[in-house]
Amino acid sequence: LLSLCYTEEAAVIVSGLKNADVFVGESATFTCELSHPGVKNVQWWLDGSPLHNNLVTEISEQDGIIHTLTLNDVACHDSGTVTFRAGSLISSAKLLVKGILLSE
């Protein structure tokens, strides 16, 4: 009989963050999937600054496994590196916010 014992360290990133290109005023969504729930110290960052759940920054999780960050109404200065940290696990992706060229 084989019994499996999972510790927090056994968690791995199943699906990491993907780069996102969006236009000014749009929303950008980043998703990271972990192998199992219960990982402590989950935090999202944008260019080294911690993000917090508010009207512009929506942070959610589903079943403790799928962690989602949505940045609403992005501006050019939001371009940068989005990082998801869960314990010792880290995943990063680039956010590129493009301006809208107004035609004559």
Side-chain angles (χ1 to χ4, degrees), residues 18-48:
K18 308 272 191 301
N19 292 346
D21 289 15
V22 296
F23 287 104
V24 169
E26 292 183 339
S27 62
T29 299
F30 296 88
T31 301
C32 191
E33 183 179 348
L34 302 180
S35 57
H36 64 268
V39 179
K40 303 281 186 276
N41 301 323
V42 172
Q43 179 68 59
W44 290 91
W45 308 76
L46 177 58
D47 270 352

Side-chain angles (χ1 to χ4, degrees), residues 29-93:
T29 299
F30 296 88
T31 301
C32 191
E33 183 179 348
L34 302 180
S35 57
H36 64 268
V39 179
K40 303 281 186 276
N41 301 323
V42 172
Q43 179 68 59
W44 290 91
W45 308 76
L46 177 58
D47 270 352
S49 298
L51 298 173
H52 303 284
N53 208 7
N54 55 42
L55 289 174
V56 178
T57 306
E58 295 178 34
I59 298 172
S60 63
E61 68 174 59
Q62 184 180 341
D63 302 326
I65 295 175
I66 299 172
H67 296 264
T68 304
L69 167 70
T70 301
L71 300 171
N72 293 310
D73 194 20
V74 295
C76 287
H77 66 260
D78 291 322
S79 292
T81 302
V82 173
T83 304
F84 171 81
R85 296 185 64 168
S88 59
L89 303 174
I90 297 179
S91 180
S92 295

